[in-house]
Amino acid sequence: MTLNLLFNLLAASALLLLLYVQQRHTSSFSVRVFTGMGLGVLLGAALQAIYGASHADLITTGNYLDIVGSGYVKLLQMVIVPLIMVSIIGAILKLKGIDALGKISALTIGTLMATTLVAAGLGILMAKLFSLTAVGLTASAADIARGVYLQGKVEAAQAISLPSMLLSFIPANPFLDMTGARKTSTIAVVVFSVFIGVAATGIHAEKPALYASFEHFIQVAHALVMKLVRMVLRLTPYGVFALMAQVVSTSSYTDILHLIDFVLASYSAILLMFGVHLALVAACGLNPLRYVKKVLPLLTFAFTSRSSAGAIPMSVQTQTLRLGTPEGIANFAASFGATIGQNGCAGIYPAMLAVMIAPTVGIDPYTLSFIAPLLAIITIGSVGIAGVGGGATFAALIVLSTMNLPVALAGLLISIEPLIDMGRTALNVSGSVTAGTLTSRILGETDQQVFNSDADLPVDQDQTAA
């Protein structure tokens, strides 16, 4: 271990200790999350200024920070399956039937796909306003390698169809899906949980004693899982700190400046789509400013982690404990939103790429004959996009190959991919929360008292014992 590396780790440890001291002084969860993000930016910028983005000591420092950052994300992923299962089964037991379940699913998925369509339209608009085009862009060795890699994935993307994607939602082996082995494993677990819940309600009248025992088991399991979720969420400020430090320290500012038009166009579309989400929230009678205050910690984590699936536990907690959305609806929205209708990864990104790349093969992308099928493909193709890193690339492959555009050119954006992916992921999660909020309001299930309260996420209820 070099002296420089030791100094880097001591500096990171000191900042982590500062976050711990802040926790012991009972600062609110939201304050600690934003403090972690700010300290991560400062550490990352300092390391970048001292070493540069590719220095060996910086890379090794990042590997150690990864223990905290990626370790935290893995802990969140650990609780996703049990959280989905106990929450959805418990919700169905309370519903005592499947009529409400059908309404929840239809409203949630409908909102996710409709907002993805709007997001794609905004992506096309921003590409036009910023005059984005791939014509004339030069490719580095990394870009070329990435292009070759993407070209090799085209066959797999072209094999995807809507019927095959819908079929993949059926859990032929639910225990395999509990390991997250497939891109659609999250939805498959949801489907399996629904079947268990509906089957349990079927024995309510036939075997009330057995039903009561099962219901009690689910209540106990739910209490344990919620405790586990709170334990993991307590680590959020530390995870955000480490993830942010890694992103800032390893970003290539030269590459960002070279592709600054795409960065600005992407974030303009992302911010406009956030505005659409807030407009929908306001349209259903909720205060958008209060809503923003309540979801900001969640969006901050999604921004730094770049994992829609990893944000599921925190999304459910935010929706139920801060927005007043019932657990069943919150779980459906968070689970489906991690795989279906991602506004950022499946909407804005492939739309902008298609518009940029079309001129390289002599196609005018701003004609109805190009835009209409592009929007249709994006909307349908948004079903089944993975909720982890790589989902946007998969969406882009589906869209570009279906539109007969050269997919290798997507590799030209590899250098700024992490920066763009942060905003895309935050927008994905915002879309899922918006879908849950709208569904809850339309069905008249929102607890207005919870929404109007100033309560923070209760992750520190056992702080003195931590």
Side-chain angles (χ1 to χ4, degrees):
M1 179 177 291
T2 66
L3 188 61
N4 287 339
L5 177 59
L6 180 61
F7 175 79
N8 296 344
L9 296 180
L10 287 175
S13 299
L15 294 176
L16 288 170
L17 180 61
L18 180 61
L19 288 173
Y20 178 74
V21 170
Q22 188 182 41
Q23 177 180 338
R24 302 305 295 182
H25 283 77
T26 64
S27 297
S28 72
F29 178 75
S30 301
V31 169
R32 298 203 315 277
V33 169
F34 287 113
T35 301
M37 183 178 182
L39 292 177
V41 170
L42 290 176
L43 178 63
L47 293 175
Q48 169 81 256
I50 295 171
Y51 299 103
S54 58
H55 193 278
D57 286 335
L58 179 61
I59 294 173
T60 306
T61 302
N63 292 337
Y64 280 100
L65 285 172
D66 201 43
I67 298 174
V68 179
S70 295
Y72 170 67
V73 174
K74 288 180 180 295
L75 288 175
L76 282 170
Q77 293 171 337
M78 173 187 73
V79 301
I80 289 174
V81 169
L83 175 63
I84 289 174
M85 293 191 69
V86 300
S87 297
I88 289 182
I89 293 172
I92 294 175
L93 296 184
K94 293 177 183 177
L95 292 173
K96 299 293 193 300
I98 62 173
D99 290 340
L101 189 64
K103 294 178 182 178
I104 292 171
S105 301
L107 286 170
T108 301
I109 295 174
T111 302
L112 288 168
M113 297 190 71
T115 52
T116 299
L117 176 63
V118 174
L122 289 176
I124 294 171
L125 177 61
M126 290 301 103
K128 173 67 173 177
L129 293 179
F130 282 84
S131 302
L132 297 183
T133 178
V135 175
L137 285 180
T138 56
S140 66
D143 298 331
I144 294 172
R146 177 65 169 174
V148 172
Y149 169 79
L150 294 176
Q151 193 69 51
K153 294 290 184 179
V154 171
E155 186 175 348
Q158 289 177 333
I160 299 295
S161 64
L162 183 58
S164 65
M165 183 61 72
L166 294 177
L167 189 61
S168 71
F169 293 164
I170 301 175
N173 185 344
F175 299 102
L176 178 66
D177 286 316
M178 289 178 194
T179 68
R182 303 187 297 140
K183 289 183 178 295
T184 55
S185 284
T186 301
I187 293 183
V189 170
V190 172
V191 172
F192 180 60
S193 302
V194 169
F195 270 93
I196 292 178
V198 173
T201 60
I203 65 171
H204 179 254
E206 302 171 5
K207 301 177 180 179
L210 288 177
Y211 176 84
S213 297
F214 180 74
E215 187 175 34
H216 179 68
F217 165 75
I218 293 298
Q219 290 172 352
V220 173
H222 184 269
L224 289 173
V225 170
M226 289 300 104
K227 176 62 177 177
L228 181 60
V229 169
R230 286 195 296 271
M231 289 170 59
V232 175
L233 289 183
R234 191 178 298 174
L235 303 174
T236 301
Y238 310 102
V240 167
F241 161 77
L243 291 166
M244 201 68 205
Q246 285 179 279
V247 170
V248 175
S249 64
T250 56
S251 295
S252 173
Y253 302 130
T254 301
D255 290 337
I256 292 172
L257 290 175
H258 180 64
L259 294 168
I260 191 64
D261 285 346
F262 184 80
V263 175
L264 293 176
S266 296
Y267 273 93
S268 296
I270 288 169
L271 290 174
L272 285 173
M273 198 60 209
F274 276 126
V276 171
H277 292 168
L278 292 181
L280 292 173
V281 169
C284 68
L286 297 176
N287 185 322
L289 295 180
R290 179 174 288 275
Y291 176 86
V292 168
K293 180 181 178 182
K294 288 174 175 286
V295 301
L296 264 180
L298 167 64
L299 299 184
T300 299
F301 166 70
F303 183 81
T304 54
S305 69
R306 297 166 54 199
S307 173
S308 300
I312 289 177
M314 193 172 178
S315 176
V316 173
Q317 290 275 284
T318 299
Q319 290 184 68
T320 55
L321 301 178
R322 306 199 77 186
L323 299 178
T325 301
E327 275 196 14
I329 295 176
N331 268 278
F332 269 94
S335 303
F336 282 125
T339 314
I340 292 176
Q342 295 187 344
N343 292 183
C345 290
I348 291 174
Y349 184 66
M352 294 183 72
L353 271 184
V355 169
M356 284 180 64
I357 292 174
T360 66
V361 290
I363 297 175
D364 181 0
Y366 302 109
T367 60
L368 183 62
S369 60
F370 182 86
I371 292 177
L374 175 62
L375 292 176
I377 291 168
I378 286 174
T379 304
I380 297 173
S382 69
V383 176
I385 300 303
V388 295
T393 299
F394 193 68
L397 286 176
I398 293 174
V399 172
L400 294 177
S401 60
T402 305
M403 297 290 291
N404 294 317
L405 297 173
V407 299
L409 290 178
L412 293 171
L413 303 175
I414 182 177
S415 57
I416 59 169
E417 179 69 13
L419 177 62
I420 302 297
D421 197 38
M422 295 168 77
R424 290 194 310 239
T425 305
L427 185 63
N428 295 342
V429 175
S430 175
S432 68
V433 176
T434 301
T437 302
L438 288 181
T439 300
S440 180
R441 287 290 288 176
I442 291 172
L443 297 179
E445 297 291 337
T446 301
D447 188 332
Q448 199 69 37
Q449 186 175 357
V450 172
F451 182 86
N452 290 329
S453 72
D454 294 322
D456 208 353
L457 286 182
V459 297
D460 298 314
Q461 290 178 339
D462 306 314
Q463 188 173 358
T464 56

